Structure formats: structure tokens, C-alpha cells
Amino acid sequence: MSRSVQVIRENQSPSGAYPACPTFSAYAGYAWLRDGAFIAEGMSRAGEEASVTAFHEWCARVITARTAQVDDLISRRHGPLSPGEMLPTRFTLDGADGTDDWWDHQLDGYGTWLWQLAEHARRHSVEVPMEAVRVASRYLAAFWDSPCYDWWEEHVEQRHVATLGAVHAGLRAAVSLGVTDAEVKEAIGGIEALIAAEGVSAKGHLRKWLGSDEVDASLLACVAPFGLYAPDHPVAVATVAEVERQLAHEGGVYRYRADTFYGGGRWVLLAGFLGLNHAAAGRRDEASRYLEWMAAQALPNGDLPEQVSDVLLFPDRYDEWLQRWGTVATPLLWSHGMYLMLGAEL
Ligand code: BGC
């Protein structure tokens, strides 16, 4: 645990941003709201109050600086909007959009940020940046229903259930922090109704996206930690069971069956989500098994990678990524954040 805190602390930018990975070619110099919010949750649970508060101050600056963009997007919401016009997925460490092409538009990070801010404020005394909370929640309430890239920055044409779960958690958090907009409350109800009507497969588990019968390990977050469904709700039970049946292998967890990124390895951070779900359902031994697997993936210096490449779904697709982006991202701060979350839970 102390090594994970140290890795995150040492890499946090003076600006407050948590970089995804300091060394990996495609991520270096950038911070994602999704990664950052889960890293912050791990640090908040570990009692690293000042680090997390600095992260939220950075997020608040980044978001309020885009108020005019949000107002403009909302005023044009009924016309055609291209994904590239929407708010960014990731930012440079000083909060700019950055100049490298990326898979922008992803809504989940804005929801996960709001969710973590409320969690942090509940645990520690912090001044809540209400202006940024209002901008983010107005943005999500206006666009929650439209397609965007998923957690894995894929399938921009779909509406992803894990994204809807993150937005739902974020909007509920905004209300708990004092947002009273009718549109925010309508969006919360709208997400619940849409998922109940179209987000659950005939087998009773959440769908990767509306219309798909596949599962994706990101769906785990809809139960723990987001709480869209309580751990004993039949949809939660079926989702966790199906993700584990299809995607878990000896303590490690794949993203989804068709994953070819670096050949499709097992992700350290997803073992954290599955562990959290076992813990939430009262299965501490199972949860501990995932925590142990996570710890066992650390390099001798304690760094955790993004994914582990020993038992690949598509081994012949590994090399193309190695050539393109170099060795797997290590240390991935989100892996360390999840390790702290599950460790604190247990
Ligand atoms: C993953 C994202 C993640 C990003 C930075 C990408 O490869 O698909 O989920 O946010 O890396 O860690």
C-alpha cells in the first residue's frame, strides 16, 4: 500500500493533476478525469487528503475554464454536434486540451469526477468547488443520452452502460452537493429508466452497450463503487457473475472477450473492481484473492502495470502494439489507485 501511495504522490503534477502514466509514449504528459478520479478515490481512502484536494482544485480550474464551451454546446444541443466539439477526454498536466489527436468525447470521466468529489467531501473537510460542479452537471444533464466513446476509448457510435452508470453516479453526487436543477434530476430518472428498459440482457445482466448481449468488465463499476444497483439486486448479481465467468482468469480480469489491445491481457485495475464487488457482496475471501493477484503483478520496485501479458486473448496481436507504443504502460497510476481502494476496503 505504501508503495502505491508513493508512486501516486511522486508522479502528481505540481498543478494537482494525476498523470495516467509518466513514461508510456501515448499517455505521458496527459491526465484523464476517469483515471484521476479513481486514483483520487484510492488516495482519499488512504487518508492522503491534501493530494486529493489538490487534484480537485485542478479539476475545478479545468472545468470552469470551459464554461463558455459548455454554454455554447448546450445552446446547439438539438443540432448536429461532432464528437470533436465536445469536452476533452484528457488534458495536459497544466489543464490545456493538448495537441495530439485523441478519442474525444467521453462522458464518464465528468461523472466519475463528481462522484469522487462528493466521496472525498464526505470523508474529509474540503471546500466544494460549486461553480465547477454546476458546469459539469449541466453538461452531463444535457448530453447523457447521446453516444460517446467508452472507458476503453472505443465505439463512439454506441451508448455504453458503464458510461451511463458513471454519469448517474456523478449527477446523484451533484445533487448531494447542493445542485437543484430540474434537468439534473430528470436525467437521473432518465438514466435509470433507460437502463431498466434497454440496458439489461435477456439473461439478466447489464449490457456492454444498449443493444449488445456482451459484457464488459467496466460494468462492474455500476454496482461497486457507483451503486446504480445494490449488490444483492438481481441485475447486480447477474452482472458480477457473468463478468467473472467470461472475463476473470486466475485472479486477473480481461476488459472484454474481443479485446486485442496488446493482445488482450488481464488488467490489474479490473481485478480491483471485481474484488470491490465481491467485498460489497460480503465475499471477503474472494475479494482478497483479487487483491493478492494485483500485488503479485508488481515489478520488483513495486510498480503496477496497466495489463499483464502472460495469458493473452489474441497473442498474435501483441507485437503490433509493442511496435506502435512500446512496452505496456507501467506504472499505471490507476492500477495503484484501485489497489488502494480495494486494500482500504479489506
Ligand atoms: C484506456 C483508458 C485509460 C487510458 C489512460 C487507455 O488505454 O483505454 O481507459 O483511461 O488508457 O490510462
Side-chain angles (χ1 to χ4, degrees):
M1 299 286 229
S2 57
R3 176 61 186 158
S4 285
V5 169
Q6 190 191 11
V7 170
I8 294 170
R9 255 205 223 139
E10 281 175 358
N11 286 293
Q12 183 169 21
S13 161
S15 68
Y18 291 126
C21 173
T23 49
F24 188 61
S25 65
Y27 306 168
Y30 282 92
W32 277 248
L33 290 180
R34 170 180 47 251
D35 296 47
F38 287 120
I39 295 162
E41 176 65 8
M43 291 292 268
S44 175
R45 289 192 191 199
E48 294 292 316
E49 189 176 335
S51 162
V52 179
T53 300
F55 165 72
H56 286 300
E57 287 168 359
W58 176 79
C59 292
R61 286 196 299 276
V62 160
I63 290 168
T64 44
R66 288 166 178 79
T67 306
Q69 186 183 354
V70 168
D71 288 340
D72 172 59
L73 288 167
I74 292 177
S75 74
R76 295 189 290 125
R77 65 198 281 191
H78 300 299
L81 286 172
S82 69
E85 291 181 83
M86 307 300 284
L87 293 185
T89 297
R90 61 179 200 167
F91 305 90
T92 62
L93 304 183
D94 59 8
D97 285 13
T99 47
D100 306 285
D101 275 345
W102 201 256
W103 293 272
D104 289 315
H105 162 47
Q106 298 173 29
L107 291 172
D108 67 282
Y110 293 87
T112 307
W113 171 63
L114 287 167
W115 165 79
Q116 205 293 310
L117 176 65
E119 293 295 300
H120 185 57
R122 204 166 47 73
R123 239 176 249 133
H124 305 284
S125 67
V126 286
E127 204 178 310
V128 174
M130 280 312 290
E131 196 185 334
V133 168
R134 286 202 189 85
V135 174
S137 56
R138 276 198 305 123
Y139 178 65
L140 292 176
F143 295 110
W144 68 269
D145 198 16
S146 50
C148 67
Y149 289 104
D150 66 6
W151 278 32
W152 317 128
E153 321 191 282
E154 295 173 333
H155 304 291
V156 69
E157 67 291 351
Q158 302 295 350
R159 288 183 294 169
H160 303 276
V161 175
T163 297
L164 290 167
V167 173
H168 183 260
L171 292 178
R172 270 162 45 233
V175 170
S176 80
L177 293 170
V179 167
T180 54
D181 290 17
E183 205 178 344
V184 167
K185 293 183 179 157
E186 276 162 32
I188 294 170
I191 294 171
E192 288 164 13
L194 181 63
I195 293 181
E198 297 180 41
V200 181
S201 76
K203 283 160 87 191
H205 60 73
L206 291 172
R207 303 171 185 275
K208 181 172 164 75
W209 63 68
L210 303 185
S212 161
D213 280 329
E214 305 296 317
V215 285
D216 186 291
S218 61
L219 292 168
L220 293 167
C222 292
V223 185
F226 291 151
L228 173 66
Y229 290 101
D232 60 352
H233 187 284
V235 172
V237 172
T239 302
V240 175
E242 192 61 12
V243 167
E244 185 159 52
R245 190 181 75 76
Q246 289 197 29
L247 300 175
H249 178 75
E250 291 174 356
V253 181
Y254 297 105
R255 298 193 299 180
Y256 54 94
R257 292 300 312 175
D259 188 8
T260 58
F261 182 52
Y262 282 87
R266 293 174 295 165
W267 282 49
V268 174
L269 67 96
L270 291 175
F273 280 102
L274 191 45
L276 283 172
N277 275 272
H278 279 302
R283 296 183 293 270
R284 288 181 63 87
D285 289 351
E286 288 297 287
S288 300
R289 199 165 69 85
Y290 286 99
L291 186 72
E292 279 158 25
W293 182 85
M294 293 171 84
Q297 309 317 310
L299 301 187
N301 70 356
D303 285 358
L304 290 172
E306 176 183 71
Q307 58 171 296
V308 181
S309 309
D310 50 357
V311 195
L312 297 175
L313 294 169
F314 298 94
D316 56 337
R317 304 294 299 274
Y318 177 81
D319 273 345
E320 68 194 68
W321 287 99
L322 187 67
Q323 301 305 324
R324 182 171 168 191
W325 281 354
T327 46
V328 166
T330 313
L332 190 85
L333 271 62
W334 186 6
S335 298
H336 286 281
M338 295 309 299
Y339 186 68
L340 291 175
M341 279 175 72
L342 183 54
E345 188 71 34
L346 293 171

